[in-house]
């Protein structure tokens, strides 16, 4: 079998594979290609192609000669290890209740809401349904409540990712914090024996916060996204003698996925369990600026 025939056969096979898988094979460091006594044919061929097409542009020009295809895949990026760990962990947790949950379906919740409107087999319908609550002013309060599967996704995101991140918030933020058992009372205590008291209510606070506000705020979270422990082998005793701790941090693609899973039409919905915590995180820098501007003489809480 000639070398040109082998390369052409490899090109036909790779063209049928999903582009993310192709990029993973070519550019991921997790695939071991070290020295072995006898390497499999596909691994030897892959190493040869890696040397021949070392960059993304070279690979695209060889694999996809169609110009429109190359333009579509130029900016395709592989998910970071943090996102892969987060998605795998979240899907595994959700499968204890919803065994049909997959990574592909989780991304459909985030990026393809119209998919669920076209699925007659999904008895839970669209992702959000509108609900009105009457108020004394005569103008009802409009809520957009997630359906049951999306509600479980958002509750898991809140409990496992957003609540730990809320510990970074300033001492003047009391709402939507899991470590604060009675936020209303704690907020009022900060203003005891004050001569003057001023209260403001922001109109349409949740809907005014968009994905473009959430992604930078989530990307700058310093608290680890995930901290998992795995057994580590002792090479002398060949036993699992201790736990190895591994941490994953917040990255841009994780922030985009969380923001899209927790927003409705690009905005925070009233009626979602994650909206208060996300609003606090998006507003954190402004809270700090307001506190610094007011100085120690005035007490600012939210």
């Amino acid at each position: 079998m000639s070398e040109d025939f082998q390369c052409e056969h490899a090109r036909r096979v790779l063209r049928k594979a999903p582009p993310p898988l192709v990029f993973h094979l070519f550019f991921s460091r997790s695939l071991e290609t070290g020295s072995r006594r006898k390497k499999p044919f596909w691994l030897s061929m892959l190493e040869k192609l890696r040397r021949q097409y070392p960059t993304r542009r070279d690979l695209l020009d060889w694999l996809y000669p169609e110009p429109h295809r190359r333009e579509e895949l130029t900016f395709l990026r592989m998910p970071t290890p943090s996102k892969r760990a987060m998605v795998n962990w979240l899907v595994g947790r959700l499968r204890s209740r919803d065994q049909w949950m997959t990574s592909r379906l989780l991304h459909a919740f985030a990026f393809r809401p119209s998919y669920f409107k076209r699925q007659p087999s999904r008895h839970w319908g669209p992702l959000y349904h509108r609900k009105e609550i009457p108020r004394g002013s005569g103008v009802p309060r409009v809520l957009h409540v997630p359906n049951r599967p999306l509600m479980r996704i958002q509750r898991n995101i809140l409990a496992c990712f957003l609540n730990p991140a809320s510990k970074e918030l300033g001492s003047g933020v009391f709402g939507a914090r899991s470590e604060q058992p009675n936020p209303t009372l704690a907020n009022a205590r900060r203003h005891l024996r004050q001569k003057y008291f001023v209260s403001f209510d922001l109109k349409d606070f949740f809907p005014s916060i968009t994905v473009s506000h959430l992604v930078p705020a989530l990307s700058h979270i310093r608290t680890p996204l995930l901290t998992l422990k795995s057994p580590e082998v002792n090479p002398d005793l060949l036993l699992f003698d201790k736990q190895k701790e591994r941490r994953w941090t917040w990255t841009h693609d994780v922030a985009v996925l969380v923001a899209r899973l927790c927003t409705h039409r690009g905005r925070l919905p009233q009626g979602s369990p994650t909206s208060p915590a996300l609003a606090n995180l998006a507003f954190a820098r402004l809270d700090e600026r307001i506190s610094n501007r007011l100085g120690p003489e005035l007490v600012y809480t939210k």
Side-chain angles (χ1 to χ4, degrees):
M1 186 181 296
S2 66
E3 183 176 345
D4 294 339
F5 180 82
Q6 292 177 1
C7 289
E8 182 61 27
H9 177 69
R11 191 172 77 90
R12 288 197 300 266
V13 172
L14 291 173
R15 279 177 61 88
K16 296 178 181 180
L21 177 60
V22 176
F23 288 162
H24 177 73
L25 290 174
F26 269 78
F27 304 113
S28 175
R29 297 181 180 179
S30 61
L31 186 65
E32 182 183 357
T33 57
S35 59
R36 298 180 181 179
R37 293 183 179 178
K38 186 176 180 181
K39 296 181 181 179
F41 169 76
W42 68 269
L43 189 56
S44 301
M45 192 66 194
L46 180 61
E47 289 183 345
K48 182 186 297 184
L49 293 174
R50 277 178 163 180
R51 293 190 297 268
Q52 191 171 356
Y53 306 103
T55 65
R56 178 188 294 264
R57 174 57 63 183
D58 295 336
L59 174 64
L60 290 175
D61 291 341
W62 170 70
L63 196 56
Y64 306 106
E66 304 89 349
H68 68 279
R69 185 67 168 161
R70 291 200 304 268
E71 292 177 1
E72 293 175 357
L73 299 175
T74 298
F75 301 102
L76 180 65
R77 293 292 181 266
M78 291 296 298
T80 60
S82 292
K83 183 182 177 182
R84 288 198 295 268
M86 177 257 193
V87 170
N88 292 336
W89 188 87
L90 185 58
V91 169
R93 187 179 175 93
L94 292 169
R95 278 182 175 173
S96 62
R97 174 69 180 270
D98 302 323
Q99 297 183 0
W100 42 263
M101 181 60 68
T102 62
S103 172
R104 185 184 295 269
L105 195 57
L106 182 69
H107 283 78
F109 275 100
F111 300 103
R112 295 182 59 196
S114 59
Y115 167 80
F116 300 94
K117 296 180 181 179
R118 302 193 302 266
Q119 297 298 318
S121 60
R122 303 294 185 187
H123 62 276
W124 17 269
L127 296 186
Y128 291 88
H129 65 272
R130 180 187 174 97
K131 183 178 180 181
E132 295 185 356
I133 299 179
R135 293 190 294 186
S137 61
V139 180
R141 183 183 181 187
V142 179
L143 303 180
H144 291 91
V145 183
N147 60 24
R148 285 179 292 174
L150 183 57
M151 179 71 78
R152 285 192 284 271
I153 293 174
Q154 293 181 354
R155 284 175 175 168
N156 277 276
I157 291 176
L158 175 64
C160 304
F161 307 129
L162 299 182
N163 282 342
S166 297
K167 297 178 181 179
E168 297 182 8
L169 299 174
S171 59
V173 180
F174 293 94
R177 302 188 69 166
S178 58
E179 69 272 16
Q180 191 65 253
N182 195 334
T184 304
L185 182 59
N187 184 38
R189 285 174 178 168
R190 291 287 299 273
H191 299 277
L192 288 177
R193 294 182 292 274
Q194 297 292 328
K195 188 175 182 180
Y196 300 102
F197 179 83
V198 181
S199 176
F200 294 96
D201 184 19
L202 299 181
K203 184 179 179 181
D204 298 330
F205 180 49
F206 287 167
S208 66
I209 299 176
T210 64
V211 172
S212 61
H213 298 117
L214 294 174
V215 172
L218 295 174
S219 300
H220 288 87
I221 294 176
R222 297 183 299 272
T223 304
L225 173 71
L226 271 177
T227 302
L228 300 179
K229 294 182 178 181
S230 59
E232 187 175 9
V233 179
N234 188 326
D236 299 327
L237 303 176
L238 297 179
L239 297 174
F240 297 102
D241 60 345
K242 60 180 180 179
Q243 295 287 326
K244 183 179 179 181
E245 188 176 87
R246 186 173 181 183
R247 296 185 177 184
W248 286 269
T249 59
W250 286 83
T251 57
H252 182 269
D253 54 356
V254 170
V256 171
L257 179 61
V258 171
R260 292 299 298 266
L261 282 171
C262 300
T263 53
H264 175 51
R265 296 178 180 175
R267 300 178 180 274
L268 282 184
Q270 294 199 37
S272 168
T274 56
S275 291
L278 286 172
N280 282 342
L281 293 170
F283 213 73
R285 290 192 175 184
L286 189 55
D287 285 333
E288 185 178 355
R289 290 173 56 187
I290 292 174
S291 298
N292 295 335
R293 182 65 65 90
L294 293 177
E297 293 82 9
L298 299 178
V299 178
Y300 170 75
T301 60
K302 180 166 71 71

